Amino acid sequence: YCYDCIRGRITETAAGICSRCGAALCPDHIVEEQEVLTTVVPLGRHVPLPVKARRLLCRVCAEALSQPKNVSY
């Protein structure tokens, strides 16, 4: 069952798994994103590949991964 639905006392069949935390998710709670894959070429450079991979996330992980990275100390 969908983890987020169960927290709201609803039982909905899961259709996917969050690739970050492993929570089972129904279609209403899945965030589908594209992930750029890279390969390493001579001199250690990472070069993006032309075809992007599909990545399923829960809303919590999607929000955490999309937060601004400019943290000051």
Side-chain angles (χ1 to χ4, degrees), residues 12-41:
E12 185 67 40
T13 303
I17 303 291
C18 176
S19 63
R20 183 79 180 169
C21 72
L25 303 165
C26 71
D28 290 339
H29 289 113
I30 290 175
V31 177
E32 185 174 338
E33 295 185 349
Q34 291 186 335
E35 181 176 3
V36 176
L37 302 177
T38 62
T39 188
V40 179
V41 296

Side-chain angles (χ1 to χ4, degrees), residues 1-12 24 26 28-29:
Y1 296 109
C2 174
Y3 179 74
D4 287 342
C5 287
I6 287 174
R7 292 181 67 201
R9 302 190 190 279
I10 300 169
T11 55
E12 185 67 40
C26 71
D28 290 339
H29 289 113

Side-chain angles (χ1 to χ4, degrees), residues 43-68:
L43 299 177
R45 289 187 314 132
H46 290 263
V47 177
L49 297 172
V51 179
K52 294 179 177 142
R54 175 177 35 210
R55 178 169 62 173
L56 302 180
L57 297 167
C58 67
R59 292 177 183 168
V60 173
C61 290
E63 183 179 348
L65 289 169
S66 66
Q67 64 186 317

